[in-house]
Amino acid sequence: MTFKVLVTRMLPPKTQARLLEQDIELIQWQEDCAIPRDVLLKKVQGVDALFCLLTEKIDNELLDAAGLQLKVVATMSVGYDHIDVNAAKSRHIKLGYTPDVLTDSTADLTVLLALGASRRIKECIRAAMDGSWGKWGPTWLCGSQFTNKTLGVVGLGRIGEAVARRLMAFGISRVLYSGRSKKSDELESSLNSKHVDFDTLLKESDVITVCCALTKETENLFDYEAFSKMKRSAIFVNSARGGIVQQDDLVRALEEDLISAVGLDVTTPEPLPPTHKLYSFSNCLILPHVGSATMETRENMANMTLENILAGLNDKVLPYSI
């Protein structure tokens, strides 16, 4: 029996080549955009496996359209809010995702944002491009460096720890972190870190990085009150989820010069409309949610997803199961 598999995007080269080697009936969306919903509902009919992305909503409508033969749905993502888990599991459909894969790429980008914001990189690029690059001046485009500064990490998980270790190489001398639990003495010692309450982190940190998950507890955690407690020289970076920041309050904080600079890889909504007020601030650096955008990470994610698909088709335990 030849299994029918629907893949909703073209994959990174190495995994795409591996996919084409499989003895399956492959249906693959080949446009460089998300598969339209009506097309997805048509193509999913009769498939045994679905390889999807965050852009596809996996709900009762889709599962009904697929049919009873559907064995496995695997998403090329860490998050799976787009999947109705209960609906799938009630149909005995196996679900897979790609956990613990974004640490290095996201940590790298978080450091890039912190450095870029602190060294006024947005203004520097503009000055080089628009002709305002003039004679040298003692304070022209001066930012701040991290030597002997305090880093505040909200959520010292894998990514938070990786960010802290990277920034220590740039001179960070102390790490404060907030979260539900205190880390081991060994970890704290290696980072010269201390578990503190959220208010202490806000008041004492020179650089603050958001590395926590979006939950009911962290939604809109960074509001006007939080920004008001920060140092006016503070650098604020969010590479986690846009919903952790009350965005209108961030605009107000920038308007009132409550903080020095901001680096964002995530916003609400995404994509953020080009007319949004945040773009108008020279000290607000915004990227289009590219934290995982390295070929190494994307190949890893695609390969993990394919592993889940193949395991599900062969009635094996998924190696990366939801």
Side-chain angles (χ1 to χ4, degrees):
M1 175 184 177
T2 301
F3 291 116
K4 183 184 291 188
V5 178
L6 171 60
V7 180
T8 61
R9 281 290 182 95
M10 294 296 292
L11 305 181
K14 292 180 182 179
T15 311
Q16 179 67 30
R18 185 180 176 213
L19 174 68
L20 295 175
E21 293 172 353
Q22 304 305 311
D23 184 20
I24 57 174
E25 181 183 342
L26 176 62
I27 305 168
Q28 188 168 25
W29 178 249
Q30 299 191 16
E31 303 297 326
D32 189 21
C33 62
I35 184 171
R37 179 71 174 181
D38 60 332
V39 176
L40 175 62
L41 290 175
K42 182 177 180 180
K43 289 185 177 295
V44 80
Q45 295 174 21
V47 304
D48 300 288
L50 172 61
F51 184 128
C52 68
L53 279 68
L54 283 167
T55 45
E56 286 80 60
K57 186 176 182 181
I58 311 303
D59 55 9
N60 277 307
E61 180 186 32
L62 182 137
L63 297 174
D64 286 342
L68 297 176
Q69 80 296 324
L70 182 62
K71 297 163 71 74
V72 57
V73 174
T75 180
M76 187 180 146
S77 62
V78 175
Y80 49 88
D81 293 345
H82 57 302
I83 299 176
D84 187 333
V85 174
N86 291 332
K89 292 199 171 182
S90 69
R91 293 168 167 82
H92 306 291
I93 297 169
K94 293 180 178 180
L95 298 175
Y97 71 135
T98 61
D100 308 334
V101 72
L102 307 180
T103 300
D104 288 332
S105 56
T106 303
D108 287 351
L109 193 86
T110 304
V111 171
L112 182 152
L113 284 169
L115 290 168
S118 68
R119 293 300 299 269
R120 300 172 64 177
I121 200 70
K122 182 177 178 180
E123 295 170 84
C124 291
I125 293 171
R126 185 177 297 163
M129 295 180 67
D130 69 6
S132 60
W133 183 1
K135 293 182 179 180
W136 181 88
T139 61
W140 186 60
L141 289 178
C142 283
S144 60
Q145 61 195 61
F146 294 160
T147 310
N148 296 322
K149 298 290 178 65
T150 295
L151 170 66
V153 181
V154 180
L156 194 69
R158 286 180 297 273
I159 293 174
E161 179 186 344
V163 168
R165 294 197 185 281
R166 283 161 169 76
L167 285 177
M168 288 174 72
F170 291 92
I172 289 291
S173 59
R174 182 174 71 136
V175 176
L176 302 178
Y177 69 96
S178 65
R180 285 177 288 185
S181 60
K182 181 181 181 299
K183 302 301 179 180
S184 69
D185 292 342
E186 181 181 3
L187 177 59
E188 287 195 338
S189 177
S190 70
L191 294 174
N192 191 26
S193 61
K194 182 180 179 181
H195 185 237
V196 296
D197 60 67
F198 185 56
D199 278 4
T200 299
L201 183 147
L202 294 175
K203 293 172 183 177
E204 297 187 14
S205 299
D206 299 296
V207 183
I208 295 174
T209 61
V210 184
C211 301
C212 59
L214 175 60
T215 65
K216 290 181 180 179
E217 291 74 27
T218 63
E219 186 174 10
N220 294 324
L221 178 65
F222 284 89
D223 55 13
Y224 184 77
E225 181 181 0
F227 292 120
S228 299
K229 292 176 180 176
M230 294 182 191
K231 296 179 180 182
R232 286 187 174 264
S233 59
I235 307 297
F236 175 73
V237 175
N238 183 15
S239 59
R241 286 291 182 268
I244 299 170
V245 176
Q246 217 309 324
Q247 214 158 253
D248 290 341
D249 288 358
L250 175 57
V251 169
R252 183 181 172 190
L254 287 167
E255 288 175 334
E256 298 179 7
D257 294 323
L258 296 184
I259 53 179
S260 176
V262 175
L264 304 174
D265 188 42
V266 290
T267 59
T268 303
E270 291 183 0
L272 189 68
T275 56
H276 196 281
K277 178 72 174 178
L278 282 174
Y279 289 115
S280 69
F281 297 103
S282 61
N283 57 341
C284 183
L285 178 62
I286 302 173
L287 301 180
H289 201 157
V290 289
S292 69
T294 66
M295 287 304 296
E296 294 88 346
T297 292
R298 295 289 170 83
E299 281 282 13
N300 195 8
M301 293 173 71
N303 194 58
M304 291 167 71
T305 308
L306 182 54
E307 290 287 346
N308 277 332
I309 292 290
L310 297 176
L313 289 174
N314 290 286
D315 297 320
K316 295 180 179 178
V317 175
L318 270 56
Y320 314 102
S321 178
I322 296 173

